[in-house]
Amino acid sequence: MKQIKFIIIAFLLTQLSFSQKKDDNIGTEVVNVVKPYTPTISDAFKVKETPTLDDDDTSKKENIQYTIFSFPVASTFAPSKGKAANVDKSAEEKIYSNYLTLGAGNFGTINAELFVTENISNTDYFGGMLRHSSSQGGIKDVVLDDKFFNTALDLTYGSRTKAMSWNADLGYQNQVYNWYGIYPGLLSDATIATIDEQQTYHTIYLGGRLGLDNILKESTFKFTRFWDAFGSAENRFVAKPSLEFDLVEQKIRTDFILDYISGSFDQNLDKTASIKYGFTNVGFQPSIKIHKDDLTINAGVGLFYSAAQEAGESKFFVYPQVTGSYKIVVDLMILYAGLEGTLQQNSYHDFVQDNFFVSPTLAVAPTDQKFDIYAGLKGKLASNISYNIRGSYKNEDGKALFRSNIYNLFNANTDGYTYSNSFDVVYDKVKTVSFFGELKADFSKNVSFGINGTFSSFSTDAEKEAWNLPAIKLATTLDVNITPKWYAGTSLFFVGERKDIFRQATVTIPFPPDENITLKSYFDLNAHVGFKYSDRLTFYLRGNNLANQDYQRWLNYPVQGLQVLGGASYKFDF
């Protein structure tokens, strides 16, 4: 069989050799097909003997050369033009300039918000917002009044042109809170009946912003007057002009800071003296931005001088202010890092917004944030999933910590905050190591999810603990558009353990020892659902602390349990 195959192959090669030598013009021939071809398979036969090949020419191989000529082929095919399919256009949602929101719930809770804005001309506009939130209290086992009120009015007038934009702001806020956090079993019913636990705060401010299409990019200023029902008062003025220009293809930015604060308290906790404070902080922060390929660096320095008008010392501070980022994989993986420091001016107003139950007897001073060195990685795991992880080490001198006030039985001051139911501010050198992680996902245009967490470790110098600073903070949110009419969402917050201290001076000598107290960790589950009745009117229902957790945000200050609030929002134009 192998010989037969060899004969066949030799025969084919011989034919190919002859065909190569013939004239290329093979002519044309017409073939008429009479009937369809019906193939058949012939009977197989077996060769009886192996043939002998004596022809030497059959073993010779002739070189065959192939040449391929490429030439364009003209096509007369013309495709028909496609027609775009019809797309159903969704109705464009109308945007209204104004809205009104009203809501009410248990604990006598009322929420109201009114926002209005109007274009005065092609360039000028006016806006205003009125907000109110209040509750009549009713927290379980609380013997003092625990209601609160918070009302604020903000007005703005501004103008926008190609060369300049500016706005002026004016606002007023009134807040009423009560020092209801009494240590269990500390006071008799007769003493409790004599306590006037209410505190009232007032804030009025005037501010503005100016932006020019030149080197003066943006400047802001704000004057704030803050006072309370116990004769405490504070004035603060902050101005921050910024210059920005290009120099040798590099962007130069310079920030100037003027921060003036002056305030006083009528008395200290023991009612033995008044308290006054005042600082003028002047800062100069030049920086240069270097951008090359995937690397961006902002290199700068912060120069501050703090002049003390009352208690304290005047000092000069120098801070590093360097940040940078490098795109490892375009927007999928970005490495960033920084070394930053600054002088942070504390104020009575800011302390109140962080903790409504501070006493009007505070020592107010700035915090020297020597440096905050950090590094992190951010980017996208997919087109709709982003992440951010970061580690940092911060060194602060004079960091403000909230600590429970002492109860002194011999105190001549019998105001409503002197029963260990208020908080003082103490300053200490605090070093913080923290890790932060965040993940955000938009699974679709109707579903979004987010989760983040911060894990911290604190070390102090003079204080035993980093009072009221949690080591763990977690938060997660989920928002869903169920249908074009219905939407819902939920959020969960977790706060780890905090440390505080209970101190008292009594008739017992020596005084009872200080009692270090650990406030338990807590979580707060919230949810909301809404129905868009029309493009103007929306109804909503909210639930807070759905797990009905009886936790304490501050020592001896339990929060309201399960809260339900329902209301409606209406959009309109004038």
Side-chain angles (χ1 to χ4, degrees), residues 126-253:
F126 169 81
M129 175 174 282
L130 176 63
R131 294 166 295 165
H132 173 82
S133 62
S134 62
S135 172
Q136 298 305 311
I139 301 175
K140 184 180 178 181
D141 298 330
V142 170
V143 296
L144 295 177
D145 194 355
D146 59 329
K147 65 175 179 290
F148 71 86
F149 297 88
N150 191 340
T151 304
L153 175 64
D154 300 286
L155 303 174
T156 185
Y157 186 93
S159 177
R160 291 186 297 261
T161 63
K162 293 183 179 180
M164 179 180 65
S165 64
W166 62 271
N167 66 273
D169 305 321
L170 176 65
Y172 170 76
Q173 185 176 24
N174 174 252
Q175 299 168 285
V176 178
Y177 290 91
N178 290 275
W179 291 294
Y180 63 85
I182 298 296
Y183 193 85
L186 178 65
L187 305 175
S188 64
D189 293 341
T191 302
I192 293 175
T194 63
I195 298 176
D196 182 7
E197 64 273 27
Q198 182 172 299
Q199 169 67 300
T200 303
Y201 302 107
H202 303 272
T203 307
I204 186 170
Y205 73 88
L206 175 65
R209 182 190 63 85
L210 173 64
L212 301 176
D213 190 18
N214 53 30
I215 63 173
L216 182 62
K217 290 299 181 182
E218 185 175 89
S219 298
T220 63
F221 76 92
K222 187 176 183 179
F223 171 78
T224 304
R225 169 73 175 180
F226 181 70
W227 71 99
D228 64 17
F230 289 83
S232 311
E234 179 181 83
N235 296 318
R236 188 177 185 185
F237 177 78
V238 180
K240 295 181 178 181
S242 296
L243 305 179
E244 188 175 297
F245 54 91
D246 295 331
L247 180 63
V248 194
E249 298 182 354
Q250 304 297 337
K251 191 173 292 295
I252 307 297
R253 181 183 177 93

Side-chain angles (χ1 to χ4, degrees), residues 286-306:
S287 64
I288 180 172
K289 184 176 182 179
I290 302 173
H291 182 76
K292 185 177 182 180
D293 297 330
D294 294 329
L295 178 64
T296 302
I297 297 177
N298 285 282
V301 63
L303 308 175
F304 285 84
Y305 179 74
S306 179

Side-chain angles (χ1 to χ4, degrees), residues 409-472:
L409 184 64
F410 309 102
N411 194 349
N413 188 354
T414 58
D415 289 330
Y417 56 85
T418 60
Y419 300 90
S420 191
N421 56 336
S422 63
F423 296 84
D424 191 14
V425 172
V426 294
Y427 298 87
D428 197 8
K429 296 180 180 179
V430 179
K431 297 178 181 179
T432 307
V433 178
S434 64
F435 297 93
F436 170 80
E438 182 180 41
L439 186 68
K440 292 182 179 180
D442 294 326
F443 298 111
S444 68
K445 65 179 182 179
N446 295 322
V447 181
S448 61
F449 171 79
I451 184 172
N452 65 76
T454 304
F455 304 87
S456 305
S457 175
F458 308 98
S459 61
T460 58
D461 183 31
E463 298 295 325
K464 295 181 180 179
E465 301 284 351
W467 309 115
N468 284 291
L469 294 182
I472 301 176

Side-chain angles (χ1 to χ4, degrees), residues 520-536:
K520 295 181 180 180
S521 59
Y522 66 88
F523 71 90
D524 197 327
L525 177 62
N526 309 301
H528 68 271
V529 62
F531 174 69
K532 298 179 181 179
Y533 179 79
S534 66
D535 59 346
R536 291 176 177 267

Side-chain angles (χ1 to χ4, degrees), residues 40-47:
T40 60
I41 302 175
S42 62
D43 295 334
F45 64 93
K46 184 175 181 182
V47 178

Side-chain angles (χ1 to χ4, degrees), residues 64-78:
I64 302 174
Q65 296 180 353
Y66 297 94
T67 303
I68 299 176
F69 298 96
S70 299
F71 57 91
V73 178
S75 175
T76 59
F77 173 72

